[in-house]
């Protein structure tokens, strides 16, 4: 029986399911950040209805991160044990449901608790993003893949912050949480239908899996799950390069959590803008961060293709991003709305470039514990989500001005740049020693 050459090529041509996976990660991350930022948009009106002062509002803002930061490591462990599809998907449904419930809050305690639960449910999200991109993408495509899902947070904020502001003006702050929550619940159904790890995807062929593996992707990372022990965390926490990126991620997230919590209030109270105007003006820096994230990823992969070392390719856009993010302090020296938004947009564009930090989790972590590594990394970063809302709240309560807060954020960003320059040395994958590669032992079934 003769075989048609075109039929043979169609059979052997690799599928490209990794791009569908990336598209869903993009949408999910956009929804993730809409849910995170809903409170910041509602806050200038909501705080009056609930009678919250600056300190109470700062603590309410931080409620998300008390859970999110400290559950990163357990979330990473769950990802390594049960896979991203199940753990991340359940988290997506739950954080959306409890975002919806925030539309019913009647006081500080209820608001804090609901934000806390949303933070707990979102804990596996970014370690899950990192795990899936490391599994689905070869190394030479990974910088762009990470930049796509990482920039999705800003795409969602740029596109939907004006929408949330319109909802606030027309229907009140309750509607913001209803709409954001329902959007995430709908996306969770698409997640379970289309997201799988490479070897478990019903439509991914062997040619695509081979392509991923030959390029340094970790398509088989979940084949032999290991029993996670304290020794694995200790290995990561005592490695110089990993400690360097942990410190820097805290520094980078100081500006993120200023924007996600206090930025609309800053524009209303410090710069005297109307809430509707804030909705549109706030979207401009987010758009800048979106493009900065995409450009940072492309610069990294371009340098890698041009023969630069992995360290130079990854660290160059990150360090540039940290340095230029610190220009946020210049907003203290002007009252021009146009100039303020330009400064904020440059600063957040640069933050987007520096967001390539997530590529290093996939590049440097032991392949057996990427979820755990991503959890520690994101714990470090999101401690800023606890510190920044409260610190800014106290600065505002004490000085009645945001000036000192902007100087504080700019200084911390410079520390992040120095961490990448002086602490993070060679970028290479850490190998687990033989005694830490013990495979997960089969569990005994106990009859009741």
């Amino acid at each position: 029986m003769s075989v048609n050459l075109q039929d043979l090529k169609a059979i052997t041509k690799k599928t490209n399911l990794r791009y569908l996976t990336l598209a869903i990660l993009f949408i999910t991350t956009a929804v993730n950040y809409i849910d995170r930022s809903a409170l910041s948009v509602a806050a200038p009106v909501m705080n009056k209805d609930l009678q919250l002062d600056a300190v109470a509002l700062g603590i309410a803002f931080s409620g998300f991160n008390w859970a999110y930061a400290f559950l990163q490591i357990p979330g990473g462990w769950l990802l390594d044990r049960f896979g991203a599809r199940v753990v991340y998907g359940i988290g997506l449904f739950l954080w959306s449901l409890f975002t919806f419930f925030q539309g019913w809050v009647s006081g500080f305690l209820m608001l804090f608790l609901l934000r806390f639960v949303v933070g707990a449910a979102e804990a596996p999200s970014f370690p899950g993003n990192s795990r899936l991109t490391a599994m689905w993408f070869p190394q030479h495509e990974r910088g762009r893949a990470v930049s796509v899902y990482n920039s999705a947070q800003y795409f969602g904020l740029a596109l939907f912050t004006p929408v949330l502001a319109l909802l606030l003006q027309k229907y009140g702050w309750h509607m913001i949480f209803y709409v954001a929550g329902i959007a995430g619940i709908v996306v969770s159904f698409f997640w379970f239908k289309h997201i799988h790890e490479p070897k478990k995807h019903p439509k991914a062929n062997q040619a695509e899996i081979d392509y991923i593996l030959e390029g340094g992707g970790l398509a088989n990372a979940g084949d032999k799950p290991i029993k996670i022990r304290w020794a694995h965390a200790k290995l990561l926490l005592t490695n110089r390069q990993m400690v360097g990126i942990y410190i820097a991620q805290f520094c980078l997230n100081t500006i993120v959590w200023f924007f996600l919590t206090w930025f609309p209030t800053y524009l209303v109270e410090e710069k005297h803008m109307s809430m509707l105007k804030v909705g549109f003006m706030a979207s401009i820096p987010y758009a800048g961060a979106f493009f900065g994230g995409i450009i940072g990823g492309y610069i990294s992969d371009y340098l890698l293709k041009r023969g630069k070392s992995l360290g130079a390719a990854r660290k160059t856009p990150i360090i540039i991003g940290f340095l230029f993010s610190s220009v946020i302090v210049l907003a203290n020296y002007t009252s021009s709305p146009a100039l303020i938004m330009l400064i904020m947009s440059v600063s957040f564009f640069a933050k987007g470039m520096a967001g390539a930090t997530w590529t290093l989790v996939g590049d440097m972590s032991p392949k057996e514990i990427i979820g755990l590594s991503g959890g520690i990394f994101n714990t470090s970063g999101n401690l800023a989500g606890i510190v920044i809302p409260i610190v800014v709240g106290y600065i505002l309560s004490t000085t009645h001005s945001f000036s000192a807060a902007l100087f504080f954020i700019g200084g911390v960003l410079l520390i992040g740049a120095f961490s990448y320059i002086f602490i993070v040395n060679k970028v290479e994958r850490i190998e687990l020693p033989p005694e830490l590669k013990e495979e997960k032992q089969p569990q005994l079934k106990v009859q009741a």
Side-chain angles (χ1 to χ4, degrees):
M1 182 178 68
S2 62
V3 179
N4 184 284
L5 183 60
Q6 286 191 343
D7 290 341
L8 185 61
K9 289 177 71 176
I11 292 170
T12 58
K13 185 178 180 182
K14 74 176 185 294
T15 54
N16 290 296
L17 270 300
R18 62 194 183 282
Y19 297 126
L20 174 62
T21 300
L22 184 60
I24 295 171
L25 290 182
F26 181 93
I27 294 168
T28 304
T29 304
V31 168
N32 181 312
Y33 267 75
I34 293 167
D35 289 352
R36 292 190 196 193
S37 66
L39 178 58
S40 70
V41 177
V45 174
M46 192 178 182
N47 66 347
K48 295 180 176 65
D49 284 357
L50 301 184
Q51 298 181 332
L52 303 177
D53 62 19
V55 174
L57 186 58
I59 294 171
F61 279 139
S62 75
F64 172 94
N65 278 87
W66 285 104
Y68 185 77
F70 290 111
L71 290 177
Q72 286 297 302
I73 295 174
W77 174 81
L78 288 171
L79 288 165
D80 287 330
R81 177 155 187 168
F82 299 108
R85 179 178 184 269
V86 173
V87 175
Y88 197 159
I90 291 172
L92 168 59
F93 178 82
L94 289 177
W95 89 57
S96 302
L97 181 65
F98 283 93
T99 295
F100 180 89
F101 289 158
Q102 286 176 69
W104 296 344
V105 300
S106 56
F108 166 78
L109 181 60
M110 188 177 179
L111 176 61
F112 182 89
L113 290 175
L114 285 173
R115 291 293 292 174
F116 186 91
V117 175
V118 170
E122 286 196 20
S125 58
F126 268 71
N129 286 343
S130 179
R131 177 183 171 88
L132 284 168
T133 50
M135 294 183 77
W136 272 103
F137 286 87
Q139 198 169 64
H140 65 275
E141 293 182 1
R142 198 175 301 148
R144 282 169 290 174
V146 169
S147 73
V148 168
Y149 82 67
N150 204 36
S151 63
Q153 54 191 289
Y154 311 117
F155 177 84
L157 292 171
L159 185 63
F160 289 105
T161 298
V163 175
L164 296 180
L166 285 169
L167 289 173
L168 176 65
Q169 184 186 50
K170 192 165 184 179
Y171 301 105
W173 59 265
H174 308 270
M175 187 59 67
I176 289 177
F177 298 107
Y178 297 150
V179 171
I182 289 171
I185 290 170
V186 171
V187 171
S188 71
F189 293 107
F190 284 92
W191 175 276
F192 281 109
K193 181 176 176 60
H194 295 291
I195 289 293
H196 302 270
E197 294 181 353
K199 289 192 173 181
K200 297 178 181 178
H201 201 295
K203 296 182 180 179
N205 65 10
Q206 190 60 43
E208 182 172 15
I209 292 169
D210 290 342
Y211 171 78
I212 295 167
L213 291 170
E214 289 166 6
L218 306 180
N220 58 2
D223 286 356
K224 296 180 179 180
I226 64 172
K227 183 178 180 181
I228 304 298
R229 306 198 300 273
W230 164 245
H232 295 113
K234 184 179 179 181
L235 175 72
L236 296 169
L237 291 168
T238 55
N239 179 274
R240 170 178 168 167
Q241 283 90 325
M242 299 306 290
V243 169
I245 69 172
Y246 297 157
I247 293 170
Q249 195 65 9
F250 173 89
C251 298
L252 184 62
N253 274 11
T254 58
I255 189 171
V256 173
W257 284 103
F258 171 73
F259 271 84
L260 289 179
T261 56
W262 283 107
F263 186 52
T265 303
Y266 164 76
L267 294 179
V268 170
E269 295 187 2
E270 187 93 352
K271 303 305 176 184
H272 310 294
M273 296 184 189
S274 69
M275 194 58 227
L276 186 60
K277 186 175 182 179
V278 165
F280 287 93
M281 295 293 275
S283 69
I284 298 172
Y286 295 139
F290 169 74
F291 290 110
I294 296 293
I295 290 170
Y298 272 85
I299 289 173
S300 180
D301 284 352
Y302 173 77
L303 292 173
L304 198 59
K305 286 183 178 179
R306 291 294 301 268
K308 301 296 182 183
S309 70
L310 184 62
R314 298 303 192 220
K315 288 164 65 176
T316 297
I318 291 171
I319 292 170
I320 292 172
F322 268 106
L323 293 174
F324 278 90
S325 287
S326 65
V327 303
I328 191 173
V329 300
L330 298 179
N332 285 333
Y333 300 102
T334 179
S335 58
S336 165
L339 198 52
I340 288 167
M341 297 317 298
L342 176 62
I343 291 167
M344 294 295 180
S345 297
V346 170
S347 181
F348 226 40
F349 173 90
K351 187 276 154 193
M353 286 186 64
T357 51
W358 270 103
T359 60
L360 295 173
V361 176
D363 290 333
M364 296 168 60
S365 304
K367 61 184 180 181
E368 299 89 349
I369 52 171
I370 289 178
L372 176 64
S373 178
I376 296 173
F377 178 79
N378 218 23
T379 298
S380 306
N382 283 283
L383 289 174
I386 297 172
V387 173
I388 295 306
I390 296 174
V391 168
V392 173
Y394 273 102
I395 290 173
L396 185 59
S397 178
T398 303
T399 67
H400 305 289
S401 169
F402 281 88
S403 286
L406 296 187
F407 278 114
F408 172 72
I409 292 166
V412 174
L413 287 165
L414 290 177
I415 292 172
F418 295 149
S419 182
Y420 268 99
I421 294 169
F422 298 111
I423 300 177
V424 181
N425 192 5
K426 191 174 182 181
V427 176
E428 59 185 5
R429 188 171 304 285
I430 301 168
E431 295 292 334
L432 287 182
E435 64 272 17
L436 294 183
K437 289 187 177 182
E438 174 194 351
E439 295 180 16
K440 186 177 72 174
Q441 299 299 316
Q443 295 182 349
L444 294 176
K445 292 185 179 180
V446 179
Q447 296 294 330

